[in-house]
């Protein structure tokens, strides 16, 4: 029985029994770490002894479930302790004790989680929700805070049945808007999918129950159908000398619900509810297996996605195709074991640090955030500079500040209170006389900082000035100030154009001559006897995003080789290209390709 199932049963376990169950389910701690975790557990129980959840069970049940979710990913000892204590400050003013017993690192984590928990998230649009998610990253200096909050939200959703219906919908809406997309952003697909399914259960219970009933009623039929498909792929892969691991599943309820909305159909009208996941050892085998699948069943037009050559924003890599198997659609995902590990346990493409000169030469182990936490904890887990670089990549050139009512406002880096005022409303921008940040008066020209609460002071007599143009950063503020000055200030003369004073009409990008890579010296290429279609074929499939390499400019009839480039698709080189030969680790990234040809016509 899983650990969370023990705690979900009617039996009440003692404090010691719960902790021993936790250790028996998570065996990777050293004796010293277990001793520290025991101390944290005793501290938690002492400070929450009288606290009960709505179900009537001790509060520490929730805390240990959160810690267990973190331990499933083998996170470090400090993270597990912080998982136990993530909400302790709501029950006890014990920050100094925490520092003394468990160190400043743990204290900083639980202070940050407390700050986020107290946050009144207001998101009325998808854009605002995205701003909130980015703002959450801006608020913290340790990625473990985000992971703890995700574990907390997941446990809250798993136990939401004890709350009244109003609270259920409020929590579920926040989860679907903020926390599920955040889990997706850092690549933890298992958490994202469960949060989405649980949110649907409370936001649209009728649809949830309908989908659940249809999926359950066809369970045996689905199992037989998928078993046949699995055997076919195993048989063909074995003939090709490829070792594969195949798993089958029905799609997640929320994914089915989204299809129902998109296609305006009932769940009983949807047929592509089944999926197979094929795991192999190398990237080249992925493409070979794709050809095998397409030779077994006819692929559906427009349903192929190459996320290996063109990964998703969160670093997800896989091949997706949908085929017609026994008269019904079947989705097949093909990826390596390493790609699957990244997809399940988390990766963010903006967090990876690249080594070497070649942009594609990235060790797969450097991609997974969970692997970073597991293997590099001493070097990076509490390295503020490292996480600052991560946030810089994630947040880009934006900052996130609050209105006094708690609304999150996204502004460009360097924006001032005047930019903030114009963002709220033009009338407020025109009448601004001063501003407060976190309760303190600040100069109007001072750049705002992430997560500040900004309050604008206005006066009916105030108006824009030419001086404001020197420090505002947003186009809206500049445009509104110039417009007002042009109409009301006779001393103002606008010599600048809307592009900010830069005459872009005469600026042209100089053309740089490209020197072609010397073509091979193996004699004149033979004249092709067949006609090319202009496409590249991998196995029996031509639906790929490909680009000819500019270094060797391969032409129809040349011997060619494909190179899988992250973010640019498949690059086609001549087989004798000297530039390709110098690419580090080119063998691992290459795959066999050939020119697609039209059928021969009789002369």
């Amino acid at each position: 029985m899983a650990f969370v199932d023990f705690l979900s049963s009617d039996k009440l376990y003692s404090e010691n029994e719960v902790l021993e169950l936790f250790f028996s389910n998570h065996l990777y701690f050293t004796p010293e770490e277990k001793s520290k975790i025991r101390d944290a557990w005793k501290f938690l129980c002492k400070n929450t002894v009288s606290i009960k959840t709505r179900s009537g069970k001790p509060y520490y049940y929730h805390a240990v479930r959160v810690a267990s979710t973190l331990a499933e990913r083998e996170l470090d000892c400090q993270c597990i302790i912080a998982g136990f204590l993530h909400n302790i400050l709501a029950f006890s003013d014990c920050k100094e004790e925490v520092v003394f017993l468990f160190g400043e690192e743990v204290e900083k984590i639980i202070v940050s989680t407390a700050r986020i928990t107290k946050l009144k998230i207001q998101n009325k649009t998808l854009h605002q929700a995205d701003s909130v998610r980015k703002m959450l990253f801006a608020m913290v200096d340790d990625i473990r805070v985000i992971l703890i909050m995700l574990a907390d939200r997941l446990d809250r959703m798993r136990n939401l049945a004890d709350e009244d219906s109003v609270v259920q919908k409020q929590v579920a809406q926040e989860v679907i808007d903020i926390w599920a997309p955040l889990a997706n952003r850092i690549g933890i697909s298992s958490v994202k999918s469960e949060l989405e399914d649980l949110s649907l259960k409370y936001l649209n219970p009728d649809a949830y129950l309908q989908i659940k009933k249809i999926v359950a009623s066809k369970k045996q039929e689905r199992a037989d159908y998928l078993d046949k498909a699995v055997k076919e792929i195993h048989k063909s892969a074995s003939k090709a000398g490829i070792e594969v691991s195949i798993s089958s599943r029905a799609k997640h309820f929320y994914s089915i619900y989204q299809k129902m909305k998109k296609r305006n159909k009932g769940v009983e009208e949807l047929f592509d509810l089944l999926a197979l996941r094929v795991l192999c050892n190398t990237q080249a085998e992925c493409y070979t297996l794709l050809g095998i699948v397409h030779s077994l069943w006819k692929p559906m037009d427009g349903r192929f996605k190459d996320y290996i050559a063109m990964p998703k924003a969160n670093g997800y890599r896989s091949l997706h195709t949908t085929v017609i198997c026994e008269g019904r659609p079947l989705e097949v995902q093909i990826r390596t074991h390493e790609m699957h590990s990244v997809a399940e346990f988390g990766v963010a493409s903006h967090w990876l640090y690249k080594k070497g000169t070649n942009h594609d030469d990235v060790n797969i182990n450097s991609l997974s955030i969970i692997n970073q936490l597991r293997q590099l904890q001493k070097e990076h887990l509490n390295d503020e500079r490292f996480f600052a670089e991560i946030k810089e990549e994630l947040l880009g050139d934006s900052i996130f500040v609050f209105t006094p009512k708690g609304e999150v406002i996204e502004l460009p880096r360097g924006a001032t209170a005047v930019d903030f005022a114009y963002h709220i409303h033009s009338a407020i921008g025109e009448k601004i006389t001063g501003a407060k940040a976190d309760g303190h008066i600040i100069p109007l020209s001072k750049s705002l900082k992430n997560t500040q609460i900004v309050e604008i002071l206005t006066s009916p007599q105030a108006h824009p000035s030419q001086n404001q143009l020197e420090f505002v950063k947003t186009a809206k503020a500049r445009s509104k100030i110039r417009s007002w000055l042009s109409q009301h200030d006779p001393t103002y003369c606008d010599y600048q154009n809307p592009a900010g004073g830069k005459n872009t009409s005469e600026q042209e990008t100089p053309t740089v001559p490209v020197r072609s890579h010397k073509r091979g010296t193996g004699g004149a290429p033979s004249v092709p006897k067949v006609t090319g279609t202009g496409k590249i074929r991998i196995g029996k499939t031509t639906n790929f995003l490909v680009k000819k390499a500019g270094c060797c400019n391969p032409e129809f009839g040349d011997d060619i080789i494909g190179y899988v480039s992250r973010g640019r698709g498949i690059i086609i080189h001549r087989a004798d290209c000297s530039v390709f030969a110098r690419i580090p680790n080119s063998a691992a990234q290459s795959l066999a390709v050939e020119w697609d040809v039209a059928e021969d016509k009789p002369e």
Side-chain angles (χ1 to χ4, degrees), residues 19 22-23 26-41 71 74-82 84 102 144 373-374 377-378 381:
L19 185 62
F22 173 83
F23 282 136
H26 308 294
L27 305 174
Y28 67 94
F29 301 110
T30 67
E32 182 182 359
E33 289 173 336
K34 290 179 71 172
S35 177
K36 292 179 180 178
I37 292 171
R38 287 184 190 279
D39 291 341
W41 178 249
E74 297 190 14
L75 297 181
D76 66 295
C77 179
Q78 285 87 355
C79 189
I80 302 304
I81 291 174
F84 280 145
F102 309 110
R144 290 171 294 185
L373 298 181
R374 197 183 289 164
Q377 53 184 285
K378 293 181 181 179
L381 200 54

mmCIF file of all heavy atoms in Angstrom, residues 19 22-23 26-41 71 74-82 84 102 144 373-374 377-378 381:
data_model
loop_
_atom_site.group_PDB
_atom_site.id
_atom_site.type_symbol
_atom_site.label_atom_id
_atom_site.label_comp_id
_atom_site.label_asym_id
_atom_site.label_seq_id
_atom_site.Cartn_x
_atom_site.Cartn_y
_atom_site.Cartn_z
ATOM 1 N N LEU A 19 6.000 8.598 11.152
ATOM 2 C CA LEU A 19 7.376 8.866 10.744
ATOM 3 C C LEU A 19 8.069 7.590 10.266
ATOM 4 O O LEU A 19 8.802 7.616 9.258
ATOM 5 C CB LEU A 19 8.163 9.488 11.895
ATOM 6 C CG LEU A 19 9.599 9.913 11.540
ATOM 7 C CD1 LEU A 19 9.581 10.983 10.449
ATOM 8 C CD2 LEU A 19 10.340 10.414 12.769
ATOM 9 N N PHE A 22 6.978 6.793 6.887
ATOM 10 C CA PHE A 22 7.648 7.696 5.945
ATOM 11 C C PHE A 22 9.037 7.156 5.595
ATOM 12 O O PHE A 22 9.404 7.057 4.414
ATOM 13 C CB PHE A 22 7.754 9.093 6.564
ATOM 14 C CG PHE A 22 8.560 10.065 5.751
ATOM 15 C CD1 PHE A 22 7.988 10.744 4.684
ATOM 16 C CD2 PHE A 22 9.898 10.291 6.040
ATOM 17 C CE1 PHE A 22 8.736 11.630 3.921
ATOM 18 C CE2 PHE A 22 10.656 11.174 5.296
ATOM 19 C CZ PHE A 22 10.073 11.846 4.222
ATOM 20 N N PHE A 23 9.804 6.790 6.599
ATOM 21 C CA PHE A 23 11.159 6.280 6.350
ATOM 22 C C PHE A 23 11.139 4.957 5.591
ATOM 23 O O PHE A 23 12.013 4.696 4.748
ATOM 24 C CB PHE A 23 11.910 6.105 7.671
ATOM 25 C CG PHE A 23 12.440 7.392 8.252
ATOM 26 C CD1 PHE A 23 12.299 7.669 9.600
ATOM 27 C CD2 PHE A 23 13.076 8.326 7.450
ATOM 28 C CE1 PHE A 23 12.790 8.853 10.142
ATOM 29 C CE2 PHE A 23 13.569 9.507 7.976
ATOM 30 C CZ PHE A 23 13.423 9.773 9.323
ATOM 31 N N HIS A 26 10.803 5.746 1.943
ATOM 32 C CA HIS A 26 11.860 6.563 1.330
ATOM 33 C C HIS A 26 13.181 6.183 1.988
ATOM 34 O O HIS A 26 13.473 6.601 3.116
ATOM 35 C CB HIS A 26 11.552 8.048 1.507
ATOM 36 C CG HIS A 26 10.177 8.435 1.046
ATOM 37 N ND1 HIS A 26 9.795 8.374 -0.281
ATOM 38 C CD2 HIS A 26 9.087 8.852 1.735
ATOM 39 C CE1 HIS A 26 8.528 8.758 -0.378
ATOM 40 N NE2 HIS A 26 8.080 9.040 0.823
ATOM 41 N N LEU A 27 13.970 5.409 1.256
ATOM 42 C CA LEU A 27 15.131 4.747 1.858
ATOM 43 C C LEU A 27 16.463 5.414 1.540
ATOM 44 O O LEU A 27 17.511 4.844 1.855
ATOM 45 C CB LEU A 27 15.176 3.286 1.381
ATOM 46 C CG LEU A 27 13.904 2.462 1.631
ATOM 47 C CD1 LEU A 27 14.029 1.090 0.979
ATOM 48 C CD2 LEU A 27 13.649 2.318 3.128
ATOM 49 N N TYR A 28 16.467 6.596 0.952
ATOM 50 C CA TYR A 28 17.729 7.154 0.463
ATOM 51 C C TYR A 28 18.448 8.049 1.474
ATOM 52 O O TYR A 28 19.525 8.554 1.207
ATOM 53 C CB TYR A 28 17.500 7.925 -0.839
ATOM 54 C CG TYR A 28 16.670 9.185 -0.718
ATOM 55 C CD1 TYR A 28 17.281 10.432 -0.543
ATOM 56 C CD2 TYR A 28 15.281 9.139 -0.805
ATOM 57 C CE1 TYR A 28 16.536 11.593 -0.453
ATOM 58 C CE2 TYR A 28 14.536 10.292 -0.714
ATOM 59 C CZ TYR A 28 15.154 11.520 -0.540
ATOM 60 O OH TYR A 28 14.401 12.667 -0.441
ATOM 61 N N PHE A 29 17.867 8.253 2.657
ATOM 62 C CA PHE A 29 18.486 9.148 3.639
ATOM 63 C C PHE A 29 19.627 8.449 4.391
ATOM 64 O O PHE A 29 19.543 7.257 4.708
ATOM 65 C CB PHE A 29 17.446 9.640 4.659
ATOM 66 C CG PHE A 29 16.298 10.381 4.040
ATOM 67 C CD1 PHE A 29 15.019 9.821 4.014
ATOM 68 C CD2 PHE A 29 16.487 11.627 3.464
ATOM 69 C CE1 PHE A 29 13.966 10.492 3.449
ATOM 70 C CE2 PHE A 29 15.427 12.310 2.890
ATOM 71 C CZ PHE A 29 14.165 11.742 2.873
ATOM 72 N N THR A 30 20.671 9.217 4.705
ATOM 73 C CA THR A 30 21.763 8.707 5.541
ATOM 74 C C THR A 30 21.312 8.712 6.998
ATOM 75 O O THR A 30 20.339 9.386 7.353
ATOM 76 C CB THR A 30 23.006 9.593 5.388
ATOM 77 O OG1 THR A 30 22.718 10.892 5.944
ATOM 78 C CG2 THR A 30 23.417 9.731 3.930
ATOM 79 N N PRO A 31 22.012 7.976 7.879
ATOM 80 C CA PRO A 31 21.659 8.009 9.312
ATOM 81 C C PRO A 31 21.652 9.426 9.878
ATOM 82 O O PRO A 31 20.780 9.778 10.680
ATOM 83 C CB PRO A 31 22.752 7.143 9.952
ATOM 84 C CG PRO A 31 23.150 6.184 8.874
ATOM 85 C CD PRO A 31 23.066 6.966 7.598
ATOM 86 N N GLU A 32 22.623 10.247 9.476
ATOM 87 C CA GLU A 32 22.673 11.630 9.969
ATOM 88 C C GLU A 32 21.456 12.427 9.496
ATOM 89 O O GLU A 32 20.868 13.204 10.262
ATOM 90 C CB GLU A 32 23.958 12.298 9.485
ATOM 91 C CG GLU A 32 24.125 13.732 9.989
ATOM 92 C CD GLU A 32 25.383 14.387 9.452
ATOM 93 O OE1 GLU A 32 26.137 13.728 8.709
ATOM 94 O OE2 GLU A 32 25.601 15.571 9.772
ATOM 95 N N GLU A 33 21.074 12.228 8.243
ATOM 96 C CA GLU A 33 19.910 12.937 7.713
ATOM 97 C C GLU A 33 18.628 12.468 8.403
ATOM 98 O O GLU A 33 17.743 13.284 8.704
ATOM 99 C CB GLU A 33 19.814 12.715 6.202
ATOM 100 C CG GLU A 33 20.898 13.443 5.410
ATOM 101 C CD GLU A 33 20.902 13.084 3.937
ATOM 102 O OE1 GLU A 33 20.404 11.983 3.587
ATOM 103 O OE2 GLU A 33 21.411 13.881 3.133
ATOM 104 N N LYS A 34 18.519 11.176 8.663
ATOM 105 C CA LYS A 34 17.333 10.664 9.353
ATOM 106 C C LYS A 34 17.213 11.275 10.748
ATOM 107 O O LYS A 34 16.108 11.585 11.201
ATOM 108 C CB LYS A 34 17.391 9.135 9.447
ATOM 109 C CG LYS A 34 17.200 8.444 8.106
ATOM 110 C CD LYS A 34 17.275 6.927 8.223
ATOM 111 C CE LYS A 34 16.078 6.331 8.917
ATOM 112 N NZ LYS A 34 16.078 4.848 8.861
ATOM 113 N N SER A 35 18.346 11.475 11.401
ATOM 114 C CA SER A 35 18.330 12.089 12.727
ATOM 115 C C SER A 35 17.807 13.528 12.656
ATOM 116 O O SER A 35 16.989 13.955 13.492
ATOM 117 C CB SER A 35 19.740 12.075 13.326
ATOM 118 O OG SER A 35 19.760 12.722 14.576
ATOM 119 N N LYS A 36 18.250 14.289 11.650
ATOM 120 C CA LYS A 36 17.782 15.669 11.482
ATOM 121 C C LYS A 36 16.287 15.711 11.165
ATOM 122 O O LYS A 36 15.554 16.570 11.647
ATOM 123 C CB LYS A 36 18.573 16.357 10.368
ATOM 124 C CG LYS A 36 20.030 16.612 10.702
ATOM 125 C CD LYS A 36 20.744 17.279 9.523
ATOM 126 C CE LYS A 36 22.213 17.543 9.842
ATOM 127 N NZ LYS A 36 22.926 18.156 8.689
ATOM 128 N N ILE A 37 15.841 14.765 10.314
ATOM 129 C CA ILE A 37 14.424 14.711 9.951
ATOM 130 C C ILE A 37 13.574 14.356 11.167
ATOM 131 O O ILE A 37 12.483 14.899 11.372
ATOM 132 C CB ILE A 37 14.206 13.712 8.799
ATOM 133 C CG1 ILE A 37 14.844 14.260 7.513
ATOM 134 C CG2 ILE A 37 12.722 13.428 8.577
ATOM 135 C CD1 ILE A 37 14.872 13.276 6.363
ATOM 136 N N ARG A 38 14.088 13.457 12.030
ATOM 137 C CA ARG A 38 13.369 13.109 13.270
ATOM 138 C C ARG A 38 13.199 14.349 14.150
ATOM 139 O O ARG A 38 12.125 14.582 14.723
ATOM 140 C CB ARG A 38 14.117 12.033 14.050
ATOM 141 C CG ARG A 38 14.042 10.647 13.449
ATOM 142 C CD ARG A 38 14.720 9.619 14.341
ATOM 143 N NE ARG A 38 14.863 8.348 13.675
ATOM 144 C CZ ARG A 38 13.887 7.436 13.568
ATOM 145 N NH1 ARG A 38 12.706 7.701 14.096
ATOM 146 N NH2 ARG A 38 14.104 6.306 12.925
ATOM 147 N N ASP A 39 14.273 15.154 14.248
ATOM 148 C CA ASP A 39 14.191 16.371 15.064
ATOM 149 C C ASP A 39 13.145 17.333 14.505
ATOM 150 O O ASP A 39 12.385 17.956 15.256
ATOM 151 C CB ASP A 39 15.554 17.063 15.113
ATOM 152 C CG ASP A 39 16.586 16.274 15.910
ATOM 153 O OD1 ASP A 39 16.169 15.415 16.708
ATOM 154 O OD2 ASP A 39 17.799 16.505 15.707
ATOM 155 N N ALA A 40 13.105 17.462 13.172
ATOM 156 C CA ALA A 40 12.119 18.351 12.540
ATOM 157 C C ALA A 40 10.700 17.841 12.769
ATOM 158 O O ALA A 40 9.767 18.623 13.009
ATOM 159 C CB ALA A 40 12.405 18.461 11.041
ATOM 160 N N TRP A 41 10.551 16.519 12.720
ATOM 161 C CA TRP A 41 9.233 15.921 12.933
ATOM 162 C C TRP A 41 8.741 16.179 14.365
ATOM 163 O O TRP A 41 7.581 16.554 14.573
ATOM 164 C CB TRP A 41 9.313 14.425 12.644
ATOM 165 C CG TRP A 41 8.032 13.671 12.870
ATOM 166 C CD1 TRP A 41 7.780 12.752 13.840
ATOM 167 C CD2 TRP A 41 6.838 13.772 12.098
ATOM 168 N NE1 TRP A 41 6.512 12.267 13.740
ATOM 169 C CE2 TRP A 41 5.901 12.884 12.663
ATOM 170 C CE3 TRP A 41 6.462 14.516 10.994
ATOM 171 C CZ2 TRP A 41 4.610 12.727 12.166
ATOM 172 C CZ3 TRP A 41 5.178 14.361 10.483
ATOM 173 C CH2 TRP A 41 4.278 13.479 11.070
ATOM 174 N N ALA A 71 9.957 13.680 -1.322
ATOM 175 C CA ALA A 71 10.887 12.553 -1.188
ATOM 176 C C ALA A 71 10.757 11.566 -2.348
ATOM 177 O O ALA A 71 11.714 10.856 -2.664
ATOM 178 C CB ALA A 71 10.651 11.832 0.144
ATOM 179 N N GLU A 74 13.369 12.256 -4.440
ATOM 180 C CA GLU A 74 14.655 12.152 -3.754
ATOM 181 C C GLU A 74 15.323 13.512 -3.558
ATOM 182 O O GLU A 74 16.522 13.673 -3.782
ATOM 183 C CB GLU A 74 15.592 11.185 -4.495
ATOM 184 C CG GLU A 74 15.053 9.763 -4.537
ATOM 185 C CD GLU A 74 16.068 8.765 -5.059
ATOM 186 O OE1 GLU A 74 17.257 9.112 -5.149
ATOM 187 O OE2 GLU A 74 15.669 7.632 -5.352
ATOM 188 N N LEU A 75 14.545 14.492 -3.116
ATOM 189 C CA LEU A 75 15.104 15.810 -2.838
ATOM 190 C C LEU A 75 15.902 15.770 -1.541
ATOM 191 O O LEU A 75 15.780 14.849 -0.735
ATOM 192 C CB LEU A 75 13.997 16.852 -2.791
ATOM 193 C CG LEU A 75 13.249 17.025 -4.124
ATOM 194 C CD1 LEU A 75 12.173 18.086 -4.004
ATOM 195 C CD2 LEU A 75 14.205 17.396 -5.239
ATOM 196 N N ASP A 76 16.705 16.810 -1.330
ATOM 197 C CA ASP A 76 17.682 16.774 -0.246
ATOM 198 C C ASP A 76 17.032 16.920 1.133
ATOM 199 O O ASP A 76 15.855 17.263 1.264
ATOM 200 C CB ASP A 76 18.706 17.898 -0.451
ATOM 201 C CG ASP A 76 18.064 19.259 -0.316
ATOM 202 O OD1 ASP A 76 17.207 19.616 -1.155
ATOM 203 O OD2 ASP A 76 18.405 19.968 0.631
ATOM 204 N N CYS A 77 17.830 16.687 2.155
ATOM 205 C CA CYS A 77 17.354 16.667 3.541
ATOM 206 C C CYS A 77 16.726 18.001 3.947
ATOM 207 O O CYS A 77 15.668 18.039 4.582
ATOM 208 C CB CYS A 77 18.523 16.323 4.466
ATOM 209 S SG CYS A 77 18.126 16.287 6.218
ATOM 210 N N GLN A 78 17.375 19.139 3.579
ATOM 211 C CA GLN A 78 16.834 20.455 3.942
ATOM 212 C C GLN A 78 15.456 20.667 3.325
ATOM 213 O O GLN A 78 14.564 21.259 3.945
ATOM 214 C CB GLN A 78 17.775 21.569 3.479
ATOM 215 C CG GLN A 78 19.019 21.735 4.320
ATOM 216 C CD GLN A 78 20.126 20.808 3.843
ATOM 217 O OE1 GLN A 78 19.926 19.987 2.949
ATOM 218 N NE2 GLN A 78 21.296 20.930 4.443
ATOM 219 N N CYS A 79 15.264 20.187 2.088
ATOM 220 C CA CYS A 79 13.974 20.340 1.425
ATOM 221 C C CYS A 79 12.897 19.518 2.137
ATOM 222 O O CYS A 79 11.758 19.971 2.286
ATOM 223 C CB CYS A 79 14.085 19.914 -0.037
ATOM 224 S SG CYS A 79 12.622 20.285 -1.027
ATOM 225 N N ILE A 80 13.243 18.326 2.582
ATOM 226 C CA ILE A 80 12.280 17.483 3.296
ATOM 227 C C ILE A 80 11.902 18.133 4.631
ATOM 228 O O ILE A 80 10.716 18.181 5.002
ATOM 229 C CB ILE A 80 12.852 16.073 3.539
ATOM 230 C CG1 ILE A 80 13.245 15.414 2.203
ATOM 231 C CG2 ILE A 80 11.856 15.211 4.299
ATOM 232 C CD1 ILE A 80 12.121 15.330 1.193
ATOM 233 N N ILE A 81 12.887 18.660 5.346
ATOM 234 C CA ILE A 81 12.607 19.348 6.609
ATOM 235 C C ILE A 81 11.711 20.555 6.359
ATOM 236 O O ILE A 81 10.737 20.798 7.091
ATOM 237 C CB ILE A 81 13.924 19.776 7.293
ATOM 238 C CG1 ILE A 81 14.684 18.534 7.780
ATOM 239 C CG2 ILE A 81 13.659 20.730 8.452
ATOM 240 C CD1 ILE A 81 16.064 18.829 8.330
ATOM 241 N N ALA A 82 12.015 21.328 5.322
ATOM 242 C CA ALA A 82 11.185 22.483 4.981
ATOM 243 C C ALA A 82 9.781 22.034 4.568
ATOM 244 O O ALA A 82 8.804 22.753 4.803
ATOM 245 C CB ALA A 82 11.834 23.282 3.857
ATOM 246 N N PHE A 84 8.180 19.454 5.878
ATOM 247 C CA PHE A 84 7.499 19.261 7.164
ATOM 248 C C PHE A 84 7.028 20.585 7.757
ATOM 249 O O PHE A 84 5.916 20.709 8.257
ATOM 250 C CB PHE A 84 8.448 18.586 8.172
ATOM 251 C CG PHE A 84 8.574 17.095 8.020
ATOM 252 C CD1 PHE A 84 9.790 16.464 8.266
ATOM 253 C CD2 PHE A 84 7.500 16.312 7.644
ATOM 254 C CE1 PHE A 84 9.930 15.089 8.134
ATOM 255 C CE2 PHE A 84 7.621 14.944 7.509
ATOM 256 C CZ PHE A 84 8.832 14.328 7.748
ATOM 257 N N PHE A 102 17.621 24.226 12.739
ATOM 258 C CA PHE A 102 17.716 23.648 11.395
ATOM 259 C C PHE A 102 18.498 24.505 10.403
ATOM 260 O O PHE A 102 18.703 24.089 9.263
ATOM 261 C CB PHE A 102 16.309 23.372 10.850
ATOM 262 C CG PHE A 102 15.446 22.596 11.800
ATOM 263 C CD1 PHE A 102 14.368 23.196 12.434
ATOM 264 C CD2 PHE A 102 15.745 21.272 12.111
ATOM 265 C CE1 PHE A 102 13.580 22.493 13.330
ATOM 266 C CE2 PHE A 102 14.961 20.557 13.006
ATOM 267 C CZ PHE A 102 13.883 21.169 13.624
ATOM 268 N N ARG A 144 13.420 25.294 -4.457
ATOM 269 C CA ARG A 144 12.705 24.352 -3.598
ATOM 270 C C ARG A 144 11.414 24.942 -3.053
ATOM 271 O O ARG A 144 10.473 24.207 -2.713
ATOM 272 C CB ARG A 144 13.626 23.889 -2.462
ATOM 273 C CG ARG A 144 14.749 22.990 -2.935
ATOM 274 C CD ARG A 144 15.771 22.719 -1.848
ATOM 275 N NE ARG A 144 16.490 23.925 -1.458
ATOM 276 C CZ ARG A 144 17.501 23.941 -0.602
ATOM 277 N NH1 ARG A 144 17.909 22.806 -0.043
ATOM 278 N NH2 ARG A 144 18.128 25.064 -0.297
ATOM 279 N N LEU A 373 18.820 19.013 -8.684
ATOM 280 C CA LEU A 373 18.627 19.054 -7.240
ATOM 281 C C LEU A 373 19.262 17.832 -6.573
ATOM 282 O O LEU A 373 19.798 17.914 -5.474
ATOM 283 C CB LEU A 373 17.138 19.093 -6.908
ATOM 284 C CG LEU A 373 16.372 20.311 -7.436
ATOM 285 C CD1 LEU A 373 14.920 20.238 -7.013
ATOM 286 C CD2 LEU A 373 16.992 21.597 -6.953
ATOM 287 N N ARG A 374 19.210 16.717 -7.269
ATOM 288 C CA ARG A 374 19.701 15.477 -6.687
ATOM 289 C C ARG A 374 21.223 15.390 -6.722
ATOM 290 O O ARG A 374 21.867 15.008 -5.755
ATOM 291 C CB ARG A 374 19.080 14.310 -7.475
ATOM 292 C CG ARG A 374 19.151 12.972 -6.777
ATOM 293 C CD ARG A 374 18.573 11.889 -7.661
ATOM 294 N NE ARG A 374 17.140 12.000 -7.795
ATOM 295 C CZ ARG A 374 16.439 11.394 -8.734
ATOM 296 N NH1 ARG A 374 17.040 10.644 -9.626
ATOM 297 N NH2 ARG A 374 15.136 11.518 -8.796
ATOM 298 N N GLN A 377 23.266 19.369 -5.608
ATOM 299 C CA GLN A 377 22.727 20.135 -4.501
ATOM 300 C C GLN A 377 23.808 20.914 -3.763
ATOM 301 O O GLN A 377 23.580 22.059 -3.347
ATOM 302 C CB GLN A 377 21.963 19.236 -3.535
ATOM 303 C CG GLN A 377 22.744 18.028 -3.043
ATOM 304 C CD GLN A 377 21.889 17.138 -2.168
ATOM 305 O OE1 GLN A 377 21.616 17.465 -1.037
ATOM 306 N NE2 GLN A 377 21.456 16.010 -2.682
ATOM 307 N N LYS A 378 25.001 20.351 -3.594
ATOM 308 C CA LYS A 378 26.052 21.045 -2.855
ATOM 309 C C LYS A 378 26.571 22.258 -3.615
ATOM 310 O O LYS A 378 27.019 23.224 -3.022
ATOM 311 C CB LYS A 378 27.202 20.080 -2.556
ATOM 312 C CG LYS A 378 26.822 18.971 -1.578
ATOM 313 C CD LYS A 378 28.015 18.071 -1.308
ATOM 314 C CE LYS A 378 27.642 16.947 -0.355
ATOM 315 N NZ LYS A 378 28.786 16.035 -0.105
ATOM 316 N N LEU A 381 22.136 24.058 -5.185
ATOM 317 C CA LEU A 381 20.808 24.078 -4.584
ATOM 318 C C LEU A 381 20.578 25.319 -3.737
ATOM 319 O O LEU A 381 19.502 25.887 -3.722
ATOM 320 C CB LEU A 381 20.593 22.810 -3.748
ATOM 321 C CG LEU A 381 19.144 22.461 -3.455
ATOM 322 C CD1 LEU A 381 18.325 22.380 -4.738
ATOM 323 C CD2 LEU A 381 19.048 21.164 -2.712
#
